[in-house]
Amino acid sequence: MTKDAIKKKLRDLKKREVEMRTEYGARPIPLSALVWDAFFSEKSLKGPRYSVDQLYQMASDERKTVFEEYFFTVTIKHYEEMGLSYSLLYDPSVLSVLGLHVGASPQQVKDRFRSLAHKYHPDKGGDPEIFRTLLEAYEKLK
């Protein structure tokens, strides 16, 4: 992906966030409250997590994970603003501990946890630290 394509993608993400959170102009939100501003910058600034240069240097899968994490955060923010429950949405960083994608179902989470717990359980010769990490991640997803 070229730097220009990344810039275009970032502008598109910002536009989509504004559309989603304002319900296509039906309700106002202060533009200073955009999640986009905490995640991205088209310049090399220190405030946001990712600049265009950083995104350019990432592998495609890494960039995809960043965009998924951003979209998840926007969705959570929107749900909070609307007073809706977001209990069925999973944090992508927690899902990645289990090796799952953002759209994983509750059954997929449960199955994957059981598989990894069996593999890493200390009683079965597995690593206790990895097992503890898996337990913590699963508790957050339950």
Side-chain angles (χ1 to χ4, degrees):
M1 185 177 252
T2 66
K3 284 187 180 183
D4 287 337
I6 291 171
K7 287 179 183 179
K8 185 178 183 315
K9 175 75 172 176
L10 293 179
R11 285 187 215 111
D12 185 49
L13 288 172
K14 188 174 193 174
K15 180 181 172 187
R16 288 182 186 196
E17 178 182 354
V18 170
E19 288 173 348
M20 179 179 169
R21 292 187 52 211
T22 62
E23 297 180 10
Y24 297 92
R27 63 185 186 88
I29 63 160
L31 289 181
S32 63
L34 291 178
V35 173
W36 190 95
D37 294 326
F39 266 80
F40 306 114
S41 172
E42 292 188 46
K43 299 176 178 74
S44 295
L45 301 175
K46 289 187 178 183
R49 292 188 201 173
Y50 306 101
S51 68
V52 171
D53 291 333
Q54 289 171 313
L55 292 168
Y56 179 71
Q57 293 171 1
M58 288 180 180
S60 179
D61 288 344
E62 288 177 288
R63 224 178 1 258
K64 181 180 177 188
T65 301
V66 168
F67 294 150
E68 287 174 348
E69 180 184 356
Y70 164 74
F71 185 72
F72 174 80
T73 306
V74 169
T75 303
I76 290 290
K77 185 75 171 170
H78 179 66
Y79 274 42
E80 287 173 350
E81 291 169 349
M82 300 301 296
L84 301 172
S85 170
Y86 51 88
S87 60
L88 291 179
L89 296 175
Y90 296 131
D91 184 344
S93 61
V94 177
L95 285 172
S96 69
V97 171
L98 298 176
L100 294 169
H101 58 84
V102 173
S105 70
Q107 188 61 45
Q108 289 171 315
V109 170
K110 185 177 181 179
D111 292 345
R112 183 67 177 161
F113 170 73
R114 285 184 174 178
S115 168
L116 291 172
H118 181 74
K119 180 178 179 180
Y120 292 105
H121 197 284
D123 292 347
K124 305 272 185 179
D127 185 334
E129 276 304 309
I130 294 175
F131 185 71
R132 204 170 299 118
T133 302
L134 292 171
L135 277 174
E136 289 170 4
Y138 186 64
E139 285 299 316
K140 290 177 184 177
L141 297 173
K142 282 198 325 186

